Amino acid sequence: MDLVVGRVVKAHGVTGEVVVDVRTDDPDTRFAPGSSLRGRAKGGAERRYVVESAREHSGRLLVRFDGVASRDGADSLRGTLFLVDSADLPPIEEPDEFYDHQLEGLQVVTTTGTPVGSVAEVLHTAAGELLSVRTEDGEVLVPFVSAIVTAVSLTDQTIEIDPPEGLLELG
């Protein structure tokens, strides 16, 4: 399974740097100088990119790739997704930590057994992680904190939640 670890937002400056929207917990390793990334362009074509340099600038990651030395070259990368194979990820040692792709698709139920919906995606915000849960009526955002998420079972493909009053009400 392919996992997205970053996406080119736009060119930065005139020397080939790009702004990357980071979608990994380990950008220092994934975008380290010399590392190779598999990139998929908007049209679906894939190729390898080698990181020449990476730096943080105003809360964003700026990356320069070997062979991309102009604004036009950088602009041509806009929308490119950087992918890794989930089989290449190291195992997580902590019992309460998960990769996003492990949670996506799991069924969410309350502690009383009431079905809520399924996890569409995991959102990483400044306030913490949120589970975007697709319900019959729309979307509910569930904070991924132990006070609300009481159990995660990858074996049973379920997430049990104890929602505070009003959390599951839409609108």
Side-chain angles (χ1 to χ4, degrees):
M1 168 192 278
D2 286 336
L3 302 176
V4 176
V5 295
R7 180 182 63 85
V8 175
V9 177
K10 63 181 183 175
H12 177 80
V14 296
T15 61
E17 277 186 310
V18 294
V19 176
V20 174
D21 173 24
V22 175
R23 299 193 186 164
T24 175
D25 289 343
D26 194 10
D28 293 340
T29 300
R30 293 277 175 221
F31 295 95
S35 62
S36 176
L37 294 166
R38 186 164 47 102
R40 181 180 298 150
K42 280 185 184 176
E46 287 191 10
R47 66 168 272 214
R48 285 270 171 206
Y49 293 91
V50 176
V51 177
E52 185 178 298
S53 66
R55 64 188 176 102
E56 193 167 324
H57 176 71
S58 300
R60 302 179 113 175
L61 186 66
L62 301 181
V63 181
R64 182 185 317 277
F65 295 102
D66 286 348
V68 180
S70 69
R71 182 168 187 95
D72 287 345
D75 248 348
S76 71
L77 299 180
R78 184 186 302 255
T80 296
L81 298 175
F82 297 111
L83 309 164
V84 296
D85 191 310
S86 60
D88 295 338
L89 298 174
I92 295 177
E93 304 298 328
E94 297 293 320
D96 293 338
E97 289 187 17
F98 305 92
Y99 286 117
D100 292 357
H101 73 278
Q102 293 177 302
L103 301 175
E104 292 167 357
L106 296 188
Q107 296 303 305
V108 179
V109 297
T110 65
T111 53
T112 59
T114 306
V116 177
S118 65
V119 177
E121 68 179 311
V122 180
L123 306 171
H124 298 271
T125 70
E129 281 81 32
L130 296 171
L131 300 176
S132 170
V133 180
R134 190 177 301 117
T135 69
E136 288 182 5
D137 300 321
E139 175 191 57
V140 175
L141 297 177
V142 177
F144 193 52
V145 295
S146 59
I148 297 173
V149 177
T150 57
V152 174
S153 173
L154 298 179
T155 305
D156 296 335
Q157 295 285 291
T158 60
I159 295 177
E160 185 181 271
I161 64 170
D162 186 7
E165 189 173 329
L167 179 71
L168 300 181
E169 294 171 11
L170 298 169

